[in-house]
């Protein structure tokens, strides 16, 4: 398996960016926590452990840049924070990794792997002539624990 770091370095080069430690570190921080949906501040805390000299402003700027190039995805999960996750780095595959399930009671965000929307996309293409290239799904409801709690009440 190619080293993750090397892959990030290649991607940055492909996008015409200089390879810098903070860029690689931010990608790595997100890659290692695919289900965490980190805020910029949380990313900063993680990256700072390895690079004590890094500033929050640099982290913000780097995140913006990486998001513009789709190396990371910006998320709004309805809790008032802007969150980030690693983007789909595989250009061949359709940009996709998981769907978000948001608990209205405890606020937890669960992820659902797998995609059952191919049919819907085909239908849209057929009936509207609209070529779908990506989608984002947020399901609102109650997680298992909260659903059980609610039944008790
Ligand atoms: Zn996610
Ligand atoms: Zn819950
Ligand atoms: Zn999907």
């Amino acid at each position: 398996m190619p080293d993750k770091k090397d892959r990030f370095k290649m991607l940055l080069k492909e996008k015409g960016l200089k390879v810098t430690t903070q860029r690689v570190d931010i990608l790595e921080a997100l890659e290692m926590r695919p289900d965490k949906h980190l805020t910029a501040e949380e990313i900063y805390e993680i990256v700072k452990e390895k690079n004590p000299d890094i500033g929050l402003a640099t982290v913000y700027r780097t995140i913006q840049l990486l998001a513009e190039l789709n190396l990371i995805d910006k998320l709004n999960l309805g809790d008032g924070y802007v969150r980030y996750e690693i983007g789909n780095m595989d250009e061949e595959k359709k940009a996709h990794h998981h769907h978000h399930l948001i608990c209205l009671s405890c606020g937890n965000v669960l992820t659902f792997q797998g995609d059952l929307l191919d049919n819907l996309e085909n239908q849209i293409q057929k009936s509207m002539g609209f070529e779908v290239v990506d989608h984002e799904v947020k399901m609102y409801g109650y997680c298992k624990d909260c659903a059980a709690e609610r039944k008790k009440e």
Side-chain angles (χ1 to χ4, degrees):
M1 219 174 90
D3 188 70
K4 286 252 162 68
K5 273 204 163 133
D6 288 341
R7 201 162 60 106
F8 291 147
K9 285 177 188 168
M10 263 173 52
L11 277 164
L12 288 167
K13 276 186 206 152
E14 271 171 29
K15 299 277 183 184
L17 292 179
K18 262 216 318 232
V19 176
T20 64
T21 328
Q22 63 256 38
R23 284 171 186 168
V24 173
D25 286 352
I26 287 173
L27 288 171
E28 202 177 40
L30 288 167
E31 165 86 34
M32 282 166 68
R33 299 166 185 79
D35 293 340
K36 277 284 186 293
H37 310 108
L38 302 169
T39 64
E41 286 78 10
E42 288 166 341
I43 295 169
Y44 168 66
E45 292 301 326
I46 293 166
V47 174
K48 206 174 61 171
E49 279 174 28
K50 276 204 283 175
N51 303 283
D53 294 337
I54 200 166
L56 183 56
T58 308
V59 172
Y60 273 124
R61 259 200 322 271
T62 309
I63 289 171
Q64 287 307 328
L65 181 71
L66 297 174
E68 275 165 33
L69 296 167
N70 298 321
L71 292 172
I72 64 179
D73 290 337
K74 206 173 180 170
L75 298 163
N76 174 359
L77 297 175
D79 61 355
Y81 291 96
V82 178
R83 299 180 177 278
Y84 298 90
E85 65 187 10
I86 195 83
N88 188 332
M89 310 241 160
D90 193 344
E91 301 269 345
E92 299 294 304
K93 278 202 221 144
K94 220 190 300 180
H96 195 258
H97 31 154
H98 56 240
H99 294 166
H100 296 112
L101 315 177
I102 301 168
C103 180
L104 294 168
S105 182
C106 68
N108 268 343
V109 178
L110 307 172
T111 54
F112 179 77
Q113 305 289 339
D115 206 345
L116 310 167
L117 294 179
D118 282 352
N119 266 335
L120 178 64
E121 292 190 355
N122 289 338
Q123 293 248 354
I124 290 169
Q125 164 101 48
K126 253 188 225 152
S127 63
M128 314 270 301
F130 184 92
E131 191 188 337
V132 180
V133 294
D134 194 11
H135 62 245
E136 192 189 316
V137 178
K138 284 187 252 181
M139 302 276 182
Y140 296 93
Y142 299 97
C143 71
K144 213 171 169 183
D145 289 348
C146 292
E149 262 323 293
R150 283 163 60 81
K151 284 208 181 86
K152 277 191 228 158
E153 277 161 22

